[in-house]
């Protein structure tokens, strides 16, 4: 069923939100929050997941959520104190719940072993406070559309005297029955659905008018129901009013209705007929009970009964507007939009930006002398275009909070394995960044968090010996800084062991034994491919992924990563990332008559070297000496096949870039034109992949400019250089 | 005459499930996300029956029912509570607040409709 499939999608989306909220609230509780709303919110999250899971017959999920919910209910009720041990179980349960949701969403078979142990722990929490767990089983639901005519009397079943049982029902309503908006008339109607009903009204308890309490119930009805339905069906009719009435149900052999009983079907039909005339008393016509107080009793006894009839009928003309108003009240003021649509919009806005730039240039070229109105209009257009672009980019922006929350689970898992006490602190969760960036940050961030706990923090014993608290702190923070997002992972561990790092680098032949390196350069050795300082490769960090991969992923996002460390006080890994991948800050340069864009993130500095700083190396290799380091020169024109002859570095401009692995190279170009934000256009989609070129963009004058793939160009030229030069280059950190 | 049901639930999934079941059964549906929102929607247009969840932020189901019953014009408005808790304490509390009846989650659409019919004129 399509509608059900759509709701299923909604359910799992909602689960993600609930799980995120659950995690945040549990962490707050773990921090010692005593806010009752936090506990309530935790409970609601699990409760909602269970409720939805029940609708989709996700049995394991329902069972586990139920155990979880039971334990939380005890916490909520103050029966179970959220001690550290209890919180541990609850946090682990949140992880298991997340796993179960994921497995259920992907339609994977769920092995009970993945949740039963934690489920047992939860049950143990509940058992400990001597509250037998209510192990309710959930029936499955089949969403067969139930088309039932609610108003019609004509669907009442015809009695079949052969198999029918007769129920004698004595019923009188208490005032509470009416206070809860139940209706005797509706109860009779429901009974009528079950079979044939005869009714007699006893009005003897009815007081005189001056003693009459209009809120009280004085009438007793004696009903005789002839039906093929079981007793349960009769009980069900009275389910909601049981306790608010006097009710006696007896079974009897089939018999004909008593003389003073009346056909209730006829009565109900008259109610239906009178529906439009709200003031009409439905029973006053046909009901002719032979007592002294007939007219009075019927009108009073049914004073409540006819109220629902007087309820405002829907005015069809007003229907549309009131419905629109009601829907405006459906609180979450969000719409869900397919990602593709946003991408298309972003692309179009990109085109608009280009088009606007082209128009501006044309207008300037056409030289509208004295036509300031045109120029003014153009300026406004530019302003508006920029605002549109920013607004559209903001659509894709997402807070880093969910990403950060995922990390708290990673910390818990590693802390468990490494037997370390770790607390994760997060800052700036609300910082927003492009969805694509958020998604692609998950892996590098996971790795860095693992490293921080596994390698950064000391064991509790070592920490205590060093005069630190046994519990280590890993801090994860995000902030906007000059148009970029800066994410930092820091720990209060021992800091980078520089002698050890240096020794390892020498042992692995990454640096010569006599290399003189600054502290910062040593720290940056961690980013070299194949570098690992762990004495034993643990099963946590040692997954064949080094910090070099982390650095490469960050660079692939147009970001940079750096380390700072203080022995005894800990380390900080700092990543600076662009807010979006759709635009790029680039330096526009000329190379052999072509215009090339060099991503600003790769650029360290630009310079005009003196001829004394240039040296030949090998057959046609050249290096430039910058601050006592030799850096290979790369002629971009020759490398890309744009020009035949290399530019003399003395006449052109040299751009010092840093590629993956921290390798620095000097790119030689003709001239720098400009520095600006460009809209990235995929070359693969529009043309085909070209080695050395990352993408393309369209400039203000309509020309296509290529965006240089700095990593690829540097990698290509690497082989031409001696090992030592490369190693020395690689060892250089981003100072 | 088409009956209008107001459903109040903080879970989008449950709101969707309810809406589908109710629309399939021929009802009009209004929705609210918590008790406070429920009162707002109620002020806009009177439904024939209200179905409300119990556990909700801002104002829970009990609070909602009590608030509705305090208002004279809603004395006879049928309110069904939606609950996975089949325990009697919850039902009793809902009744004390003034609930007309209850629906136990997960519900069979036929049972949902039957419960509505038991309270809707």
């Amino acid at each position: 069923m399509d509608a059900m499939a759509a709701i299923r999608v909604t359910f799992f989306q909602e689960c993600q939100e609930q799980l995120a909220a659950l995690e945040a609230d549990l962490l707050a509780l773990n921090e010692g929050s005593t806010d009752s709303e936090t506990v309530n919110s935790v409970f609601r999250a699990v409760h909602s997941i269970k409720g939805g899971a029940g609708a989709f017959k996700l049995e394991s999920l329902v069972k586990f959520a139920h155990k979880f919910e039971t334990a939380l209910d005890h916490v909520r009720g103050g029966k179970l104190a959220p001690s550290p041990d209890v919180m541990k179980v609850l946090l682990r349960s949140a992880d298991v719940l997340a796993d179960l949701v994921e497995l259920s969403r992907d339609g994977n078979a769920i092995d009970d072993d993945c949740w039963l142990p934690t489920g047992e722990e939860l049950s143990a929490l509940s058992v400990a406070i001597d509250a037998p767990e209510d192990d309710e089983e959930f029936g499955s639901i089949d969403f067969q559309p139930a088309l039932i005519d609610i108003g019609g009397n004509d669907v009442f079943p015809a009695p079949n005297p052969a198999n029918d049982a007769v129920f004698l029902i004595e019923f009188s309503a208490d005032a509470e029955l009416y206070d809860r908006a139940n209706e005797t008339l509706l109860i009779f109607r429901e009974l009528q659905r079950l079979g044939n009903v005869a009714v007699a009204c006893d009005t003897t308890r009815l007081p005189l008018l001056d003693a009459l309490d209009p809120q009280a119930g004085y009438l007793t009805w004696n009903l005789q129901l002839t039906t093929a339905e079981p007793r349960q069906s009769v009980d069900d009719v009275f389910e909601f009013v049981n306790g608010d009435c006097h009710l006696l149900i007896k079974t009897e052999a089939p018999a004909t209705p008593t003389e003073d009983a009346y056909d209730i079907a006829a009565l109900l039909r008259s109610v239906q007929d009178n529906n439009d005339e709200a003031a009409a008393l439905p029973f006053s016509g046909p009901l002719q009970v032979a007592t002294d107080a007939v007219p009075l009793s019927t009108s009073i006894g049914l004073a409540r009964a006819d109220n629902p009839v007087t309820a405002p009928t829907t005015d069809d003309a007003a229907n549309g507007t009131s419905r629109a108003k009601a829907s405006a009240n459906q609180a979450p003021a969000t719409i869900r939009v397919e990602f593709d649509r946003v991408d298309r919009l972003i692309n179009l806005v990109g085109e608009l930006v280009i088009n606007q730039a082209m128009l501006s240039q044309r207008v300037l070229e056409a030289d509208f002398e004295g036509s300031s109105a045109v120029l003014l209009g153009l300026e406004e257009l530019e302003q508006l275009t920029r605002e549109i672009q920013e607004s559209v980019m903001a659509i894709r922006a997402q807070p880093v909070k969910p990403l950060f929350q995922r990390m708290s689970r990673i910390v818990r898992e590693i802390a468990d394995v490494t037997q370390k006490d770790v607390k994760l602190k997060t800052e700036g969760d609300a910082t927003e960044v492009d969805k694509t960036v958020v998604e692609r940050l998950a892996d590098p961030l996971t790795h860095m968090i693992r490293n921080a706990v596994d390698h950064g923090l000391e064991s509790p014993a070592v920490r205590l010996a060093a005069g630190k608290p046994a519990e280590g702190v890993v801090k994860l923070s995000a902030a906007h800084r000059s148009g970029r997002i800066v994410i930092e992972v820091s720990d209060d561990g021992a800091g980078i062991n520089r002698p050890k790092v240096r020794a390892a680098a020498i042992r692995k032949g990454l640096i010569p034994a006599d290399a003189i390196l600054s502290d910062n350069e040593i720290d940056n050795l961690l980013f070299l491919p194949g570098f690992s300082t762990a004495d034993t490769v643990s099963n946590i960090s040692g997954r064949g992924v080094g910090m070099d991969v982390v650095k490469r992923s960050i660079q692939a996002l147009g970001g940079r990563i750096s380390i700072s460390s203080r022995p005894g006080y800990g380390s900080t890994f700092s990543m600076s990332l662009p807010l979006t991948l759709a635009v790029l800050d680039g330096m526009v340069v000329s190379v052999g008559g072509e215009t090339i864009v060099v991503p600003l993130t790769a650029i360290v500095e630009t310079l005009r070297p003196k001829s004394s700083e240039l040296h030949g190396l090998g057959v046609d290799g050249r290096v430039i000496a910058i601050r006592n380091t030799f850096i290979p020169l790369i002629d971009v024109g020759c490398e890309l096949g744009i020009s035949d002859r290399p530019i003399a570095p003395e006449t052109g401009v040299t751009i010092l870039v840093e590629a993956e692995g921290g390798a620095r190279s000097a790119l030689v170009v003709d001239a720098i034109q400009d520095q600006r934000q460009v809209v990235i256009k995929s070359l693969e989609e529009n043309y085909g992949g070209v080695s050395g070129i990352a993408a393309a963009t369209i400039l203000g004058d309509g020309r296509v400019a290529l965006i240089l793939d700095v990593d690829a160009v540097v990698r290509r030229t690497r082989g031409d250089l001696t090992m030592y030069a490369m190693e020395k280059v690689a060892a250089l950190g981003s100072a | 005459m088409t009956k209008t049901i107001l459903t109040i639930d903080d879970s989008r999934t449950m709101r969707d499930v309810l809406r589908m079941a109710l629309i399939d059964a021929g009802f009009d549906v209004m929705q609210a996300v918590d008790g406070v929102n429920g009162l707002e929607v109620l002020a806009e247009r009177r439904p024939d029956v209200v179905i409300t969840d119990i556990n909700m932020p801002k104002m829970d189901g009990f609070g909602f029912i009590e608030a509705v019953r305090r208002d004279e014009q809603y004395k006879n408005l049928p309110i069904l509570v939606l609950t996975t808790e089949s325990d009697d304490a919850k039902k009793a509390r809902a009744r004390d607040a003034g609930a007309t009846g209850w629906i136990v989650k997960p519900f069979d659409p036929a049972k949902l409709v039957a419960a509505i019919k038991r309270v809707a004129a």
Side-chain angles (χ1 to χ4, degrees):
Chain A
M1 194 184 291
D2 275 349
M4 211 51 197
I7 297 176
R8 195 186 152 92
V9 170
T10 305
F11 168 63
F12 285 112
Q13 276 173 352
E14 197 172 22
C15 275
Q16 289 311 320
E17 289 158 23
Q18 303 281 15
L19 287 169
L22 173 67
E23 172 110 32
D25 289 333
L26 280 177
L27 289 174
L29 281 183
N30 205 24
E31 295 288 308
S33 164
T34 50
D35 184 5
S36 66
E37 179 49 30
T38 311
V39 187
N40 282 334
S41 170
V42 167
F43 178 84
R44 276 199 306 269
V46 177
H47 182 75
S48 286
I49 292 174
K50 184 180 96 171
F56 294 100
K57 302 184 215 169
L58 303 169
E59 276 178 35
S60 300
L61 190 52
V62 170
K63 281 185 193 155
F64 183 76
H66 181 67
K67 284 179 190 293
F68 198 174
E69 186 191 62
T70 306
L72 288 170
D73 200 27
H74 294 321
V75 175
R76 190 168 68 153
K79 291 184 222 158
L80 183 63
S83 66
D85 285 342
V86 169
M87 285 313 299
K88 244 184 189 166
V89 176
L90 296 182
L91 281 163
R92 192 157 39 237
S93 301
D95 294 342
V96 172
L97 192 67
D99 289 343
L100 287 174
V101 165
E102 199 177 318
L103 287 169
S104 307
R105 182 194 58 206
D106 300 341
N108 291 327
I110 293 175
D111 183 359
D112 283 352
D113 290 345
C114 77
W115 63 270
L116 272 177
T118 313
E120 295 296 312
E121 285 183 75
L122 283 169
S123 302
L125 292 181
S126 303
V127 167
I129 57 162
D130 196 28
E133 195 185 344
D134 155 34
D135 237 327
E136 64 185 279
E137 284 296 324
F138 286 83
S140 58
I141 296 182
D142 285 315
F143 273 92
Q144 307 295 334
L147 281 168
I148 297 170
D149 185 352
I150 191 151
N153 302 335
D154 44 352
V155 293
F156 292 155
N160 171 10
N163 303 318
D164 287 358
V166 172
F167 296 96
L168 293 178
I169 303 165
E170 189 181 296
F171 170 76
S172 63
D174 297 343
E176 288 77 19
L177 184 146
Y178 300 117
D179 285 344
R180 299 193 170 113
N182 273 300
E183 273 307 332
T184 46
L185 180 61
L186 296 173
I187 292 167
F188 298 164
R189 188 181 70 185
E190 289 308 300
L191 285 176
Q192 178 69 46
R193 278 183 213 283
L194 299 179
N196 226 351
V197 179
V199 62
C201 183
D202 176 1
T203 57
T204 50
R205 284 193 299 132
L206 201 66
L208 291 173
L209 192 55
D210 54 357
L212 187 109
D213 173 4
Q215 303 290 318
Y218 298 105
L219 302 178
T220 302
W221 284 276
N222 288 298
L223 301 122
Q224 184 181 314
L225 167 66
T226 312
T227 177
E229 297 285 328
R231 166 71 185 254
Q232 184 61 46
S233 303
V234 183
D235 287 342
D236 281 350
V237 170
F238 291 98
E239 186 190 5
F240 295 160
V241 296
N242 215 335
D244 293 337
C245 63
H246 161 77
L247 180 65
L248 200 67
I249 304 176
K250 286 186 290 189
T251 325
E252 207 182 65
T256 49
T258 48
E259 259 176 48
D260 54 346
Y262 295 83
D263 181 3
I264 199 165
L267 295 181
L268 286 164
R269 238 168 261 128
S270 79
V271 173
Q272 220 73 31
D273 294 343
N274 286 324
N275 248 359
D276 298 333
E277 298 157 49
L281 291 175
F283 272 23
S284 59
L287 190 66
Q288 299 288 333
V289 183
T291 65
D292 300 340
V294 168
L296 188 62
S297 73
T298 46
S299 53
I300 290 165
L302 294 165
R304 310 297 195 95
D306 64 1
N307 256 345
V309 178
T310 64
T313 52
T314 313
D315 180 358
D316 282 339
N319 225 352
T321 48
S322 54
R323 204 169 305 173
K325 275 186 202 162
S327 68
N329 264 315
Q330 294 165 21
T334 57
I335 51 161
R336 266 166 286 152
V337 180
E338 279 167 43
F339 205 51
D340 278 355
R341 292 195 193 187
V342 179
D343 270 351
R344 203 152 59 232
L345 188 61
I346 284 179
N347 240 322
L348 285 173
V349 171
E351 304 280 355
L352 180 66
V353 170
I354 291 162
N355 215 280
Q356 174 269 323
M358 277 164 63
L359 185 64
S360 296
Q361 201 158 333
R362 296 271 155 78
V363 168
L364 287 176
E365 279 165 9
D367 194 15
F368 277 78
E369 212 170 313
S371 178
S372 60
V374 171
L375 295 178
L376 213 66
L378 217 67
E379 236 167 69
E380 268 172 34
L381 177 66
E382 190 181 340
Q383 184 71 27
L384 280 174
T385 314
R386 197 171 307 140
E387 271 177 37
I388 291 175
Q389 189 182 21
E390 277 165 17
S391 308
V392 170
M393 292 299 180
I395 296 178
R396 296 218 312 194
Q398 284 194 327
V400 292
K401 191 173 180 175
L403 176 69
F404 279 16
Q405 278 178 351
R406 254 194 279 173
M407 294 305 137
S408 68
R409 173 174 187 175
I410 309 278
V411 167
R412 277 201 298 281
E413 285 174 355
I414 302 159
D416 263 4
V417 176
T418 56
Q419 302 278 299
K420 290 177 183 175
D421 285 344
V422 191
K423 183 198 245 171
L424 178 74
K425 280 189 181 168
T426 58
E427 251 173 43
D429 305 33
T431 311
E432 289 191 331
V433 67
D434 193 283
K435 183 180 159 70
T436 341
V437 177
V438 173
E439 281 164 0
R440 287 168 64 181
L441 263 180
D443 281 348
L445 211 51
T446 303
H447 190 78
M448 289 165 72
I449 291 278
R450 281 200 178 113
N451 267 342
V453 178
D454 194 18
H455 301 315
L457 295 177
E458 317 91 324
S459 64
V462 173
R463 288 181 66 89
L464 286 173
K468 294 184 188 177
E471 188 181 55
V473 175
V474 173
K475 208 176 95 183
L476 189 54
S477 72
H480 282 301
R481 221 171 284 162
S482 54
R484 292 173 75 81
I485 179 176
V486 176
I487 294 180
E488 287 186 348
V489 178
S490 55
D491 62 71
D492 69 343
I496 290 170
N497 186 337
R498 295 196 178 111
K500 201 167 153 191
V501 167
R502 193 190 148 88
I506 294 171
R507 195 170 63 242
K508 288 163 201 262
L510 295 169
I511 53 167
D514 58 351
I516 299 164
L517 300 174
S518 69
D519 284 352
N520 199 280
E521 285 169 344
I522 294 175
D523 291 349
N524 277 283
L525 289 174
L526 294 182
F527 291 124
L528 287 186
F531 189 93
S532 172
T533 54
D535 293 329
T536 53
V537 175
S538 68
N539 63 347
I540 302 142
S541 311
R543 294 195 179 180
V545 184
M547 284 304 288
D548 59 318
V549 177
V550 170
K551 182 164 190 173
R552 215 174 307 147
S553 337
I554 299 299
Q555 280 176 331
L557 285 171
R560 298 167 73 92
I561 184 167
S562 62
I563 310 179
S564 66
S565 178
R566 228 178 122 200
Y569 292 89
S571 317
T572 299
F573 288 80
S574 182
M575 289 165 282
S576 151
L577 295 149
L579 293 177
T580 172
L581 299 182
V583 292
L584 169 135
D585 281 313
M587 189 175 274
V588 184
V589 300
S590 317
V591 176
E594 290 287 330
T595 303
I596 302 278
V597 178
V598 184
L600 222 49
T601 51
I603 298 176
V604 180
E605 61 179 291
T606 59
L607 51 132
R608 256 179 216 280
K610 300 186 194 84
S611 49
S612 59
E613 290 165 346
L614 300 165
H615 306 276
L617 190 74
V619 187
D620 52 10
R622 287 178 300 172
V623 294
I624 176 172
I626 300 172
R627 291 181 285 278
N628 300 326
T629 314
F630 292 107
I631 292 175
L633 276 177
I634 300 169
D635 188 284
V636 177
C638 295
E639 205 51 53
L640 296 179
I642 297 169
S643 42
D644 309 329
R645 272 182 304 119
I647 305 156
E650 303 93 315
T651 60
V653 178
T654 299
I655 302 170
L656 191 62
V657 293
E658 188 183 79
E660 65 177 40
R664 290 189 174 189
S665 300
L667 305 180
V668 185
V669 301
D670 285 327
I672 295 173
Q673 292 178 11
D674 196 3
Q675 185 177 311
R676 72 166 76 141
Q677 212 170 52
V678 297
V679 179
I680 299 171
K681 297 269 162 200
S682 165
L683 209 57
E684 280 83 356
E685 274 173 32
N686 298 308
Y687 174 69
V690 177
S691 163
I693 300 297
T697 188
I698 301 169
L699 298 173
D701 58 7
R703 282 186 302 140
V704 171
L706 300 174
I707 301 171
L708 196 69
D709 183 346
V710 174
D711 285 352
V713 170
V714 170
R715 215 181 304 132
R716 269 209 322 222
T717 54
R718 260 188 170 182
D720 304 340
L721 298 157
T722 66
M723 276 312 288
Y724 176 68
M726 273 321 293
E727 280 155 7
K728 180 67 185 163
V729 166
L732 253 176
S734 46
Chain B
M1 186 183 67
T2 310
K3 303 237 181 299
T4 304
I5 315 292
L6 167 62
T7 67
I8 310 175
D9 203 308
D10 58 325
S11 157
R12 206 159 61 218
T13 309
M14 283 318 295
R15 286 201 301 275
D16 283 358
V17 167
L18 275 169
R19 189 181 58 206
M20 194 177 87
L22 291 171
I23 285 177
D24 279 348
F27 295 105
D28 273 354
V29 179
M30 302 198 287
Q31 294 182 322
V33 297
D34 57 44
V36 173
N37 186 219
L39 293 175
E40 288 166 3
V41 175
L42 206 55
E44 294 275 338
R45 182 176 161 209
R46 187 186 176 113
D48 294 289
V49 177
V50 178
I51 299 176
T52 179
D53 189 25
I54 290 179
N55 292 290
M56 292 183 293
K58 288 193 194 163
M59 179 191 277
D60 66 11
F62 303 130
F64 170 80
I65 298 168
E66 281 161 7
V68 169
R69 289 286 183 249
R70 271 197 297 271
D71 191 335
E72 191 67 28
Q73 63 168 315
Y74 297 128
K75 281 187 86 75
N76 297 301
L77 177 66
I79 305 175
L80 298 172
V81 293
L82 197 56
T83 171
T84 51
E85 281 94 344
S86 48
D87 73 287
D88 295 337
K90 277 268 158 51
K91 277 182 199 165
R93 226 189 121 187
R95 282 173 67 105
D96 287 349
T100 312
W102 48 85
I103 297 161
V104 177
K105 284 191 281 190
F107 52 80
D108 181 323
K111 283 209 176 122
L112 172 74
V113 172
I116 293 172
K117 284 198 297 179
R118 233 179 283 160
V119 299

